Amino acid sequence: MSEPPKRTVVINGRIFEVALPELSQLQIRTLANLSPDDDLILEVSGGADRVLAPDERVELSSDVIHIFSRPQTSFG
């Protein structure tokens, strides 16, 4: 039986190879040892980067996915 294809995700500049079609925030945080309090930002090629929703899953495509974290910000 063949192994599932590996996909590349870059989290805070660190490269990870995963054999999953998508990642949850918990999986991303565990993989890169990130704080549960930080926001996760998905870099959008040719568009505006966006904060991932708490229950959002990131679909991993054949392109390299870039994610970075930052401390949560609150205004007001």
Side-chain angles (χ1 to χ4, degrees), residues 25-38:
Q25 281 209 31
L26 179 60
Q27 289 170 311
I28 293 166
R29 291 175 193 286
T30 301
L31 188 63
N33 195 29
L34 301 176
S35 168
D37 298 324
D38 287 355

Side-chain angles (χ1 to χ4, degrees), residues 2-76:
S2 65
E3 292 184 25
K6 298 252 178 166
R7 294 167 173 91
T8 302
V9 59
V10 179
I11 306 170
N12 287 345
R14 294 173 51 207
I15 299 171
F16 298 92
E17 298 288 331
V18 296
L20 299 169
E22 63 182 20
L23 291 173
S24 68
Q25 281 209 31
L26 179 60
Q27 289 170 311
I28 293 166
R29 291 175 193 286
T30 301
L31 188 63
N33 195 29
L34 301 176
S35 168
D37 298 324
D38 287 355
D39 285 331
L40 295 181
I41 314 298
L42 177 65
E43 285 188 10
V44 179
S45 179
D49 297 345
R50 63 183 181 80
V51 177
L52 295 173
D55 61 345
E56 187 171 357
R57 299 179 72 81
V58 176
E59 186 176 327
L60 303 177
S61 64
S62 58
D63 296 332
V64 176
I65 303 297
H66 291 263
I67 298 170
F68 59 94
S69 65
R70 69 168 187 217
Q72 285 185 358
T73 54
S74 59
F75 299 97

